[in-house]
C-alpha cells in the first residue's frame, strides 16, 4: 500500500501549503482542487465508501472566494452525513456544483446522507451554536466568515430531509479580482 501512503502524503502536503499561504482569496478552481485532495485522503482512509462529483462550469473557475470555504462543508458531509450507511454498503454521494445569476455566485454541496435533525438545522441556519457542543463549528465558521466578509445578502444556508440528504447553499458575490472586492467594501462603508 505504499502508493496509497504516497498519495495521502502528497494530498496532505498540498492542503497544508494551501492553508498556510498568505492569500485571503483564492480562485474557485484552487478551492475545488483542495477539496479533491481532501477527498483523495478520505477515499483511501475509508476504503472508498462514497463517490464525489463536481459540476463547476469553466467560466466560474476564476471567481474568487475566501480560502477554505468548501472543504469544511464537504468534510461535514463525509463525517456526519453517512454514518452507518457507508458501512451498510449504501451508495453514498457528495456533489459540488454551482452557477451564477445576477452577479451572485451560488455554490452547493449536496449529499444523500442521513440528513440533519430539524432542531440542529434551525440552530445552524440561525447562526446560533450551542456553546457546550462542537456541533456545527465548521458550518457556523464558514457562515460567519461569509457574512462578515461580504455583508448583508450573502450567507450559507442548509436544507435537509432526514433519510434523503442535505444541501448546503453558498450565496456569494461574483468577484474576479481583489480590487473589485476592495471597491465593493469601500462602497458599502460609504452607505
Amino acid at each position: 500500500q505504499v502508493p496509497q501512503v504516497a498519495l495521502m502524503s502528497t494530498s496532505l502536503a498540498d492542503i497544508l501549503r494551501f492553508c498556510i499561504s498568505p492569500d485571503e482569496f483564492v480562485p474557485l478552481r484552487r478551492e475545488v482542487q483542495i477539496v479533491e485532495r481532501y477527498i483523495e485522503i478520505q477515499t483511501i482512509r475509508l476504503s472508498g465508501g462514497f463517490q464525489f462529483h463536481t459540476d463547476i462550469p469553466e467560466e466560474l473557475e476564476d471567481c474568487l472566494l475566501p480560502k477554505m470555504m468548501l472543504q469544511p462543508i464537504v468534510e461535514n458531509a463525509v463525517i456526519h452525513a453517512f454514518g452507518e450507511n457507508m458501512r451498510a454498503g449504501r451508495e453514498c454521494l457528495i456533489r459540488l456544483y454551482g452557477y451564477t445569476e445576477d452577479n451572485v455566485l451560488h455554490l452547493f454541496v449536496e449529499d444523500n446522507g442521513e440528513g440533519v435533525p430539524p432542531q440542529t438545522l434551525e440552530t445552524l441556519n440561525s447562526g446560533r451554536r450551542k456553546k457546550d457542543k462542537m456541533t456545527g463549528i465548521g458550518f457556523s465558521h464558514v457562515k460567519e466568515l461569509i457574512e462578515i466578509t461580504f455583508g448583508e445578502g450573502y450567507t450559507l444556508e442548509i436544507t435537509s430531509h432526514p433519510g434523503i440528504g442535505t444541501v448546503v447553499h453558498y450565496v456569494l458575490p461574483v468577484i474576479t479580482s481583489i480590487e473589485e472586492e476592495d471597491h465593493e467594501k469601500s462602497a458599502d462603508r460609504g452607505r
Side-chain angles (χ1 to χ4, degrees), residues 11-12 14-16 18-19 26 28 30-42 50 52 65-80 94 96 107-109 137-139 141-142 145-146 156 168 170:
S11 296
L12 182 58
D14 195 22
I15 292 170
L16 291 174
F18 180 74
C19 288
V26 295
L28 178 56
R30 183 66 175 131
E31 190 78 6
V32 170
Q33 288 172 346
I34 291 304
V35 169
E36 290 169 344
R37 296 302 153 278
Y38 171 78
I39 292 295
E40 286 171 355
I41 293 168
Q42 292 299 350
F50 64 94
F52 177 72
L65 59 156
K67 182 169 57 177
M68 291 301 284
M69 297 290 287
L70 297 177
Q71 187 275 336
I73 303 305
V74 172
E75 181 176 341
N76 282 349
V78 171
I79 293 171
H80 300 295
I94 299 172
L96 170 61
L107 296 173
F108 301 86
V109 175
I137 286 179
F139 179 89
H141 173 73
V142 172
L145 181 60
I146 291 170
L156 189 64
V168 176
Y170 292 78

Side-chain angles (χ1 to χ4, degrees), residues 127-140:
R128 298 184 319 267
R129 187 166 25 107
K130 294 180 181 175
K131 302 287 185 214
D132 59 334
K133 295 200 176 179
M134 298 296 279
T135 304
I137 286 179
F139 179 89
S140 299

Side-chain angles (χ1 to χ4, degrees), residues 119-184:
Q119 185 176 357
T120 304
L121 192 64
E122 182 185 338
T123 300
L124 291 171
N125 279 324
S126 71
R128 298 184 319 267
R129 187 166 25 107
K130 294 180 181 175
K131 302 287 185 214
D132 59 334
K133 295 200 176 179
M134 298 296 279
T135 304
I137 286 179
F139 179 89
S140 299
H141 173 73
V142 172
K143 180 179 177 71
E144 186 176 303
L145 181 60
I146 291 170
E147 292 173 355
I148 288 171
T149 303
F150 300 118
E152 193 174 329
Y154 301 107
T155 191
L156 189 64
E157 303 166 335
I158 184 169
T159 56
S160 187
H161 303 285
I164 296 173
T166 301
V167 178
V168 176
H169 177 198
Y170 292 78
V171 181
L172 304 166
V174 173
I175 299 171
T176 54
S177 72
I178 297 301
E179 293 79 27
E180 188 178 334
E181 167 61 10
D182 291 341
H183 176 72
E184 285 183 19

